[in-house]
Amino acid sequence: MNELAIHFPNLHDLLQLDESLRFVDLHSGTPQLVTALFAQNPNIYDYAVNLSSAQVIQTIQEQGHDFSRLYFGQEFCQNLIPAPEDIEQAYYFSRQLEWNFTLVTNACNTETGTEANRQNLQRLHDLQPDAEVVVNDWAIMHLLNHDFPDFRPVIGRLLNKQVRLNLFNKSSSKLPIFTSGIENSPENISKAQIRAYADVSLSNPDYLDFLKSLGVTGVDFDLTPQGLIRPADGWGLNLGHYFPWTVMALARNCPTAGVLQHERTFIVTDRNCGRPCRKFNCSPAFNMYDFPIQQRGPALFVSNEDLIETCLNQENGFERLIYQPLIPL
Amino acid sequence: MFITYGLDTNDTPDRIADYVSNGAEEFFAGFVPREWLEKYGWEVCPNRRSLGGGYNYTQVSELQATAAEIHRRGCRLNLAINAQDNGLERLDDLRRTVETMESFNPDGYIIADPALMCSLKRWGIDKPVHLSTGAGCFSSAAVRFYCEHFNVRRVVIPRKMTLNEMRRMIESLADLHVEFEVMIIGYRCFFNDEDCHSVHSGCHRNLCGDVLASQFIATNRFPDNWKQATEDILSSKMDAFRCHSLVNDFCLKWQRNEPPDPVFKTPLKSSSGLSSCLASSVFQNCGLCAIRELRDMGVHALKVPLRGSRDFKLPALQVVNAVMRNPDPTPEFCRALIGSPDFCDQRHNCYYDVPEAHR
């Protein structure tokens, strides 16, 4: 790893930078108190994971790495795309810290979302025409190629469709293998599947050439227990990994919006979203899992903290770690 | 407008006539060769139907005969190879699979992964591409991206769009010669197709099942000073568990003005017609009331993606066909076809939001 980045989805969270990195030692409190504050409620796993992950980041910093890049922007919901003025403020914020700036754009853009992104790209272009832009929707790649060819696109984690095996990374949890009509042993199939899940489309040489012809300079992936089969030349692209949250799934229907407009939990409507996710969150309890898994707005996340040590110890495993102090939504 | 109808291994050639007479004009199916299954199992599937034998053809002879019957009747067949991630080591197996598929003379391929689209070009296969929902085309710019690089004939519009959003997208693409297809009935999935990254297996309750089986909890977010408060609280040790302690103040403030309990179901009102749970088990999610507007905006194909026994699949085909053939299918007409006022009153059963159907 040679670069440490930090990701904030909006200006409000960015302005909490120092606070979000501050480590608080929960072990200094009585266990009952810690339980009272942080357990039993999936909506606050986010905060508990912040405290433990901040300690990991502190350790990484002590080893000589420091933040040198700001990721700024929204990946999951077009209702939460920052305004162009916020992009500008965040850009200058990063410059003051002498950090590089990366604009993160979202998935699932309708015509409305695409237009909002076009305005943000235009504002960023005025500031730095060769800035880095994370692309999570091919619509945005289309805009970059046609209107902003000097930007440096990075394929975002939502355009990388690797199956996330993060629900099955405990030693006790075997991969589900449906054996009906199959003669091969589940053990053999399990091995072949894990290898297949680590072997991603990016390794297809024709696809890789295609991406490079689009000007792509990097790729971001979630951390998964199966990892990635990456060739010695690293695909010729910078690889970034997100920590400590892996995205399991995303919808445009949203349970948090659904608390106020019930149908929105399941279907998309034209009614304005009042952005209730700024105030509260609605997550399934997921009693079937014994590790942090949390729905935040329309996206579902699972903590990947238990994978970071292995990931950091891989030689030439990746180039950039993207730290998300809180779920970036 | 026409219906494109999902086939599975239960659909022998003799059933095609039945489906055609009930309105199907086009068919789609998946194919997983035996060698693939023995190597990768069902879960690593060349298409998005990884749940087991009922969902895909596995015998060349069966699909060959069905394809021949479809073409003999002047209908079309598209084959799905819409897995979203296809690594290098599977490419040879995929190539062999596609070459076998070519022998069925399909009219197009339903694809989600741009890497596979690149490979098809490399392999010299120039059959039209149908952009699967897994390709995630929510805007005209996304469609243009694919059309610029690949031989796209049709866009399957993602399920999680409003009718107005679809209309705007279709209007913005008037200069392109592409067809539009929408899913119209059956299981809609909780998450977006293109962004569901979990394993799907026939022997396991899948992630969306876990979501729907869970109790939803709504809670205020912590205030911005939560870390300072946490430190203060931790230093107060057991004094925290008192009425006027910092932790108590924090909890009271945090819990003040809590969001309402999430309640996602409308109370059932009607005592007549088919019960909601029976209607739900047949139709799952229903977009009949949206068909009139979909036709008006220029959608060409209605996808009926059900798999399973003929008795289970046929009612869905019949109701979609009845609405599609009606020049003015009002919500009342659609509701009468379903025959379950309770099912129709619960908006979460709707495939798309049609406000006029709930006035």
Side-chain angles (χ1 to χ4, degrees):
Chain A
M1 180 186 81
N2 49 30
E3 189 176 29
L4 188 57
I6 189 165
H7 181 197
F8 291 100
N10 56 50
L11 208 52
H12 174 271
D13 288 8
L14 173 59
L15 296 175
Q16 306 290 320
L17 170 67
D18 291 338
E19 191 67 2
S20 69
L21 288 172
R22 194 152 65 84
F23 172 62
V24 176
D25 185 6
L26 287 183
H27 298 298
S28 66
T30 55
Q32 291 90 339
L33 200 50
V34 173
T35 303
L37 277 175
F38 290 106
Q40 325 274 336
N41 185 337
N43 294 313
I44 53 176
Y45 287 161
D46 201 4
Y47 302 100
V49 170
N50 168 272
L51 296 178
S52 45
S53 64
Q55 190 173 19
V56 173
I57 293 299
Q58 207 173 55
T59 307
I60 291 172
Q61 288 177 307
E62 283 163 8
Q63 290 166 355
H65 295 286
D66 210 348
F67 290 107
S68 57
R69 181 174 290 278
L70 173 65
Y71 266 44
F72 184 78
Q74 172 56 232
E75 296 167 280
F76 305 105
C77 178
Q78 70 173 20
N79 294 323
L80 301 173
I81 296 172
E85 309 80 69
D86 294 358
I87 304 292
E88 187 168 339
Q89 278 201 53
Y91 178 80
Y92 285 122
F93 191 102
S94 72
R95 298 277 84 178
Q96 279 181 348
L97 294 170
E98 298 181 343
W99 291 356
N100 293 308
F101 182 82
T102 297
L103 176 65
V104 180
T105 59
N106 57 297
C108 312
N109 287 290
T110 64
E111 303 301 315
T112 304
T114 308
E115 182 50 34
N117 274 301
R118 183 195 297 277
Q119 290 177 20
N120 283 349
L121 290 167
Q122 185 61 58
R123 183 66 63 100
L124 180 61
H125 189 263
D126 295 342
L127 298 163
Q128 186 186 337
D130 64 347
E132 186 175 89
V133 177
V134 172
V135 175
N136 282 302
D137 181 337
W138 293 117
I140 305 304
M141 184 62 87
H142 184 75
L143 290 188
L144 296 192
N145 286 160
H146 283 261
D147 301 335
F148 307 100
D150 295 330
F151 280 143
R152 287 175 290 122
V154 169
I155 298 295
R157 59 175 161 176
L158 296 175
L159 278 186
N160 287 317
K161 307 296 182 182
Q162 182 185 32
V163 168
R164 278 71 158 168
L165 292 185
N166 300 59
L167 300 182
F168 304 101
N169 62 348
K170 300 279 174 182
S171 54
S172 57
S173 57
K174 287 184 179 169
L175 272 188
I177 308 284
F178 189 48
T179 52
S180 171
I182 297 177
E183 290 173 8
N184 199 352
S185 72
E187 291 74 25
N188 285 344
I189 289 177
S190 181
K191 279 182 202 159
Q193 287 191 353
I194 288 171
R195 190 163 174 84
Y197 292 137
D199 178 27
V200 294
S201 283
L202 200 59
S203 286
N204 178 330
D206 294 315
Y207 182 50
L208 198 54
D209 286 349
F210 172 65
L211 292 181
K212 288 180 179 173
S213 76
L214 300 173
V216 170
T217 57
V219 285
D220 288 343
F221 273 85
D222 271 320
L223 271 180
T224 59
Q226 76 269 30
L228 287 168
I229 298 173
R230 193 181 184 215
D233 70 352
W235 298 303
L237 297 170
N238 272 334
L239 172 62
H241 274 313
Y242 283 86
F243 169 76
W245 292 102
T246 286
V247 184
M248 287 302 302
L250 168 66
R252 284 194 75 220
N253 45 304
C254 173
T256 301
V259 171
L260 300 184
Q261 301 171 31
H262 296 172
E263 65 274 15
R264 291 182 83 124
T265 300
F266 300 97
I267 58 176
V268 189
T269 77
D270 284 320
R271 287 206 280 167
N272 281 338
C273 178
R275 300 183 182 187
C277 56
R278 303 297 85 205
K279 292 180 186 160
F280 58 85
N281 191 51
C282 180
S283 177
F286 289 121
N287 295 327
M288 61 289 279
Y289 298 112
D290 60 357
F291 47 88
I293 172 166
Q294 177 176 351
Q295 173 100 22
R296 177 97 180 84
L300 182 66
F301 301 84
V302 61
S303 160
N304 60 36
E305 280 187 294
D306 51 347
L307 303 174
I308 189 65
E309 197 177 330
T310 312
C311 179
L312 288 170
N313 289 334
Q314 277 180 331
E315 214 164 289
N316 300 322
F318 66 105
E319 284 72 43
R320 180 184 291 175
L321 188 70
I322 305 136
Y323 178 52
Q324 312 153 308
L326 292 171
I327 289 176
L329 208 144
Chain B
M1 188 175 248
F2 56 87
I3 293 171
T4 184
Y5 192 61
L7 298 177
D8 58 64
T9 190
N10 300 306
D11 290 314
T12 46
D14 55 300
R15 289 194 181 167
I16 299 301
D18 200 8
Y19 296 145
V20 171
S21 67
N22 280 286
E25 186 176 316
E26 185 183 280
F27 297 88
F28 65 95
F31 174 67
V32 187
R34 295 296 319 170
E35 312 83 77
W36 180 291
L37 285 175
E38 290 299 332
K39 190 169 178 183
Y40 299 112
W42 294 105
E43 288 80 9
V44 175
C45 185
N47 58 60
R48 294 283 289 163
R49 288 282 171 169
S50 54
L51 299 179
Y55 295 84
N56 278 292
Y57 288 91
T58 58
Q59 302 293 338
V60 170
S61 56
E62 289 177 1
L63 185 50
Q64 207 152 36
T66 303
E69 177 62 14
I70 288 168
H71 288 136
R72 196 181 68 78
R73 293 186 169 276
C75 299
R76 299 177 298 278
L77 172 67
N78 300 302
L79 293 176
I81 29 177
N82 56 350
Q84 292 166 340
D85 200 40
N86 300 284
L88 180 64
E89 293 179 7
R90 265 169 293 163
L91 271 189
D92 285 343
D93 297 310
L94 261 177
R95 183 170 187 168
R96 276 192 292 277
T97 302
V98 173
E99 282 169 356
T100 305
M101 288 174 161
E102 281 286 278
S103 70
F104 308 141
N105 194 24
D107 296 274
Y109 289 112
I110 304 162
I111 309 180
D113 180 10
L116 182 59
M117 295 179 207
C118 292
S119 289
L120 288 187
K121 269 188 179 178
R122 161 77 64 191
W123 302 336
I125 292 169
D126 58 358
K127 287 260 166 41
V129 170
H130 292 199
L131 293 173
S132 164
T133 51
C137 288
F138 291 86
S139 68
S140 56
V143 175
R144 286 183 193 281
F145 171 82
Y146 284 105
C147 288
E148 208 167 272
H149 300 288
F150 307 107
N151 179 27
V152 176
R153 175 170 61 195
R154 188 180 300 172
V155 180
V156 186
I157 298 178
R159 291 177 266 210
K160 305 297 178 63
M161 288 182 77
T162 70
L163 298 176
N164 281 331
E165 289 168 344
M166 290 182 201
R167 182 183 288 277
R168 281 187 66 195
M169 179 173 87
I170 291 171
E171 283 174 359
S172 304
L173 293 166
D175 58 310
L176 293 185
H177 298 290
V178 287
E179 299 172 351
F180 297 97
E181 176 179 306
V182 295
M183 306 267 197
I184 203 65
I185 208 156
Y187 182 54
R188 181 192 43 216
C189 295
F190 186 80
F191 295 109
N192 288 7
D193 191 332
E194 78 287 353
D195 282 310
C196 181
H197 306 299
S198 62
V199 176
H200 290 71
S201 173
C203 73
H204 189 264
R205 189 172 69 193
N206 296 300
L207 179 61
C208 52
D210 287 345
V211 170
L212 296 172
S214 291
Q215 182 197 356
F216 282 80
I217 298 172
T219 319
N220 284 329
R221 295 183 73 177
F222 272 0
D224 285 344
N225 68 345
W226 68 275
K227 233 177 225 185
Q228 183 60 53
T230 304
E231 278 184 330
D232 293 346
I233 289 162
L234 291 174
S235 64
S236 68
K237 309 254 179 223
M238 290 308 287
D239 284 345
F241 293 94
R242 296 177 194 278
C243 261
H244 299 292
S245 68
L246 288 166
V247 70
N248 197 43
D249 286 350
F250 179 83
C251 288
L252 288 174
K253 195 174 169 191
W254 171 49
Q255 289 168 342
R256 201 173 294 148
N257 300 320
E258 281 231 307
D261 273 340
V263 179
F264 300 128
K265 294 197 173 177
T266 313
L268 302 180
K269 293 183 293 200
S270 176
S271 55
S272 63
L274 191 63
S275 94
S276 175
C277 64
L278 287 179
S280 186
S281 65
V282 176
F283 302 113
Q284 300 176 63
N285 297 108
C286 169
L288 293 187
C289 294
I291 289 177
R292 180 169 58 178
E293 195 169 340
L294 291 165
R295 182 170 55 202
D296 289 350
M297 72 176 76
V299 168
H300 302 83
L302 299 175
K303 180 169 246 165
V304 179
L306 300 175
R307 309 288 200 282
S309 75
R310 174 192 168 281
D311 292 346
F312 169 73
K313 284 167 41 169
L314 207 53
L317 175 63
Q318 287 166 333
V319 294
V320 171
N321 188 41
V323 177
M324 187 183 74
R325 304 264 169 229
N326 187 324
D328 185 24
T330 60
E332 293 71 31
F333 175 81
C334 299
R335 280 173 168 251
L337 287 171
I338 297 294
S340 173
D342 277 342
F343 175 82
C344 291
D345 282 344
Q346 296 187 295
R347 290 178 85 149
H348 62 262
N349 290 328
C350 298
Y351 224 107
Y352 304 105
D353 187 37
V354 183
E356 69 175 29
H358 295 277
R359 280 186 192 132

